[in-house]
Amino acid sequence: MGKILILEDEDSVNRGISFSLEKAGHTVCSCESIREAKAQVLSFQPEIMICDINLQDGSGLDFIAWFKKLRDAYIICLTALNQEMDQVLGYEAGADDYITKPFSLSVLLLKIEAYLKRNAKEADKELILSETICVNQKGMRMTISGEEVSLSKNEWKLLLLFLDHPRQILSKTQILEHVFDTEGGFVDENTLAVNIRRLREKIEAQPAKPVYIKNIRGLGYVWDKDVQRAAEDRQSEGKIF
């Protein structure tokens, strides 16, 4: 079953979708405004979002573009319009699918079930960091002792960079270039140190004595543990340096 965020400001439509999804066993977070949805995204961490394009407090397309920078989720657009350009704009904003109102709730459910089945086959994306820490790269989800841990966009980018290069020392310059947007502006090393500290606080049992992310004085940082894939062991894939 999936975690689904609904952003639809038409009350009857919102309630109908929510009822059908909850009846099917999904966990639903229902929102009627962009402001409300933005307040829920990080805490709820949806893997699927159903989003109306025309909203009273702004553009659903703008919200989708904002959302995509935070989470890699499956997005279905809802709209009363049926023009090719509207669909193109939706896909360009980051949507994965499109439904034109009025629509069948059965069709919507089938689309969601099809996605979840495809997603379930991506078990090889899950990484085992320890007996208690698991990371699902595709769903951008991390659990510690079964409890989901929320990470910011930069914390995710930092973690995934380390996991792609376990036991490899990464210089501060390399990390800054690949994790932070340094084009057109200077990002100082203190920004990196702050993000490293915050990530350690979420994954290390003793952040002051880290066992995962270690500082190599004068050189940079290293993920000092092996990374195991849940489905099968793989050779290191495509170094970026």
Side-chain angles (χ1 to χ4, degrees):
M1 296 296 99
K3 295 180 66 177
I4 305 173
L5 176 72
I6 301 171
L7 176 50
E8 166 61 64
D9 59 6
E10 189 174 342
D11 183 62
S12 60
V13 176
N14 194 315
R15 285 190 287 107
I17 297 173
S18 298
F19 176 80
S20 297
L21 293 176
E22 289 174 345
K23 186 177 180 180
H26 301 292
T27 302
V28 175
C29 177
S30 175
C31 302
E32 295 187 357
S33 70
I34 291 176
R35 181 179 180 181
E36 182 183 2
K38 283 187 173 182
Q40 295 292 335
V41 166
L42 291 179
S43 59
F44 184 65
Q45 296 194 341
E47 55 192 303
I48 299 172
M49 181 173 72
I50 300 169
C51 182
D52 190 12
I53 285 183
N54 296 304
L55 298 160
Q56 293 182 6
D57 65 335
S59 166
L61 297 176
D62 291 341
F63 177 75
I64 289 171
W66 174 87
F67 177 89
K68 271 297 199 180
K69 294 178 181 179
L70 297 178
R71 289 193 63 77
D72 181 20
Y74 186 73
I75 299 176
I76 300 175
C77 278
L78 301 180
T79 180
L81 304 176
N82 188 22
Q83 298 179 6
E84 182 178 349
M85 182 54 64
D86 296 309
Q87 297 183 25
V88 170
L89 292 173
Y91 289 126
E92 287 181 347
D96 299 286
D97 208 341
Y98 218 95
I99 293 183
T100 302
K101 298 177 182 177
F103 60 90
S104 165
L105 286 171
S106 296
V107 171
L108 177 61
L109 287 171
L110 286 172
K111 286 178 178 288
I112 290 171
E113 290 172 5
Y115 166 74
L116 290 173
K117 286 180 180 178
R118 292 196 304 270
N119 202 43
K121 295 178 181 179
E122 297 289 337
D124 61 312
K125 295 290 185 180
E126 187 165 273
L127 306 178
I128 309 300
L129 310 187
S130 71
E131 292 182 357
T132 58
I133 305 178
C134 294
V135 170
N136 185 288
Q137 290 176 281
K138 184 175 179 62
M140 292 186 70
R141 300 175 65 183
M142 181 173 74
T143 59
I144 299 181
S145 299
E147 295 292 326
E148 190 163 340
V149 177
S150 176
L151 298 180
S152 70
K153 175 187 173 182
N154 282 337
E155 288 166 355
W156 265 116
K157 292 169 70 175
L158 188 58
L159 176 63
L160 294 179
L161 179 62
F162 279 127
L163 299 185
D164 282 341
H165 304 82
R167 306 281 190 182
Q168 179 180 340
I169 297 174
L170 304 179
S171 71
K172 293 178 181 179
T173 299
Q174 287 173 326
I175 298 173
L176 287 170
E177 288 178 350
H178 287 83
V179 175
F180 301 93
D181 181 12
T182 57
E183 295 184 6
F186 179 75
V187 180
D188 62 34
E189 293 185 0
N190 186 57
T191 300
L192 175 58
V194 169
N195 279 267
I196 291 282
R197 175 177 57 79
R198 289 174 177 170
L199 183 58
R200 280 174 173 163
E201 289 173 350
K202 293 181 178 180
I203 65 174
E204 300 276 6
Q206 299 183 63
K209 298 179 180 180
V211 298
Y212 295 104
I213 304 172
K214 293 186 177 180
N215 181 22
I216 307 300
R217 187 176 296 275
L219 295 177
Y221 295 91
V222 62
W223 181 272
D224 201 29
K225 292 285 184 180
D226 292 326
V227 176
Q228 175 188 348
R229 295 189 181 274
E232 57 181 336
D233 290 331
R234 292 184 176 184
Q235 297 296 321
S236 181
E237 301 172 336
K239 297 293 184 184
I240 62 175
F241 302 123

